[in-house]
Amino acid sequence: MVIKEVSLETVCGVTSKIPDNTLPELAFAGKSNVGKSSLINALMNRKALARTSSSPGKTQTINFYNINKEMYLVDLPGYGYAKVSEAERARWGKMIENYLHKSKQLRAVFLLIDIRHTPGANDKQMYDWIVYQGYQPVIIATKLDKLKRSQVAKAVKQVREGLGLKKEDIVIPFSAQTKQGREEIWALMDSLIYDKIENAGEMKIDE
């Protein structure tokens, strides 16, 4: 996709109503500090569209980015941030659950996992939770540039086994530094939005 126009259109807090959008949405979830803002900036070819921070827990709202007036990229709050109170984490969780439940335009959920580490309990819980909500998450394995090329296959296998993925589940290694994986992610996003490939659809699990 050629990005001509992108803007942060809607910001939803804990008490905000989920917008009744008419354009298709793709949501991005991930643990705090996994590189979600960096990924969004890389996808949009912008340096500071999404605010990056070395301090985890920066994203505390659901942010809707309008792209070319054709689709929304939805940035969900980071999870698993230890320094936030349990009550606060519960509120963020409720906010994400509310969005996954009520969005009428959500086509797919992309779940970010740090490729360097075995997925933790929070990652597995989020994966299972997204599946429970009726979506099969696309896994983006971030921080690819931190590994040697010879380590990548083993790391991807570690992510697959840690989340209990099936053979057909998609894992895309990605680096915000080198942009490796960006085109692959966009190709998949395009297929989800425009149905360019057979059976792309909504990636929803048949009920």
Side-chain angles (χ1 to χ4, degrees):
M1 175 183 283
V2 177
I3 301 168
K4 300 174 182 175
E5 182 183 354
V6 57
S7 62
L8 176 56
E9 185 176 291
T10 309
V11 177
C12 288
V14 175
T15 58
S16 303
K17 183 178 180 293
I18 298 298
D20 191 14
N21 291 324
T22 56
L23 298 175
E25 300 168 0
L26 298 173
F28 288 75
K31 192 188 299 185
S32 297
N33 224 22
V34 75
K36 195 149 47 66
S37 296
S38 296
L39 169 66
I40 291 168
N41 288 333
L43 290 175
M44 300 301 105
N45 273 334
R46 302 293 195 274
K47 289 186 177 178
L49 180 67
R51 289 180 299 170
T52 60
S53 173
S54 58
S55 302
K58 195 73 175 176
T59 305
Q60 301 178 18
T61 53
I62 300 176
N63 299 331
F64 291 78
Y65 294 93
N66 188 319
I67 304 169
N68 293 348
K69 294 185 170 63
E70 294 178 22
M71 60 172 284
Y72 287 99
L73 190 156
V74 184
D75 183 12
L76 301 175
Y79 57 84
Y81 182 38
K83 291 185 180 179
V84 170
S85 71
E86 201 166 313
E88 187 74 8
R89 288 202 300 272
R91 280 196 292 271
W92 292 358
K94 195 69 180 171
M95 186 165 38
I96 297 171
E97 182 179 18
N98 185 45
Y99 168 70
L100 294 178
H101 221 54
K102 293 187 176 180
S103 171
K104 297 174 184 176
Q105 298 296 336
L106 181 59
R107 300 293 177 87
V109 182
F110 290 75
L111 177 60
L112 279 65
I113 303 291
D114 189 329
I115 196 170
R116 300 172 297 175
H117 309 297
T118 300
N122 284 324
D123 295 317
K124 179 66 170 132
Q125 185 178 26
M126 178 57 77
Y127 174 81
D128 290 342
W129 189 35
I130 294 169
V131 170
Y132 179 75
Q133 294 297 328
Y135 296 89
Q136 189 58 46
V138 176
I139 307 302
I140 300 179
T142 62
K143 305 184 188 285
L144 177 61
D145 52 284
K146 305 293 185 185
L147 295 182
K148 295 176 182 176
R149 188 176 297 180
S150 61
Q151 298 173 309
V152 174
K154 182 179 179 182
V156 169
K157 184 181 179 184
Q158 181 176 263
V159 168
R160 283 187 168 279
E161 291 177 349
L163 293 176
L165 301 185
K166 302 185 185 76
K167 187 177 180 180
E168 63 269 21
D169 291 337
I170 299 170
V171 178
I172 303 176
F174 172 78
S175 166
Q177 298 297 318
T178 67
K179 306 298 188 291
Q180 186 174 340
R182 180 184 184 275
E183 297 308 314
E184 196 176 348
I185 295 168
W186 259 120
L188 180 57
M189 289 169 63
D190 278 346
S191 74
L192 290 163
I193 296 300
Y194 303 111
D195 294 328
K196 287 182 180 176
I197 59 174
E198 188 179 358
N199 296 327
E202 295 187 356
M203 296 194 77
K204 264 220 165 188
I205 297 171
D206 293 332
E207 295 179 0

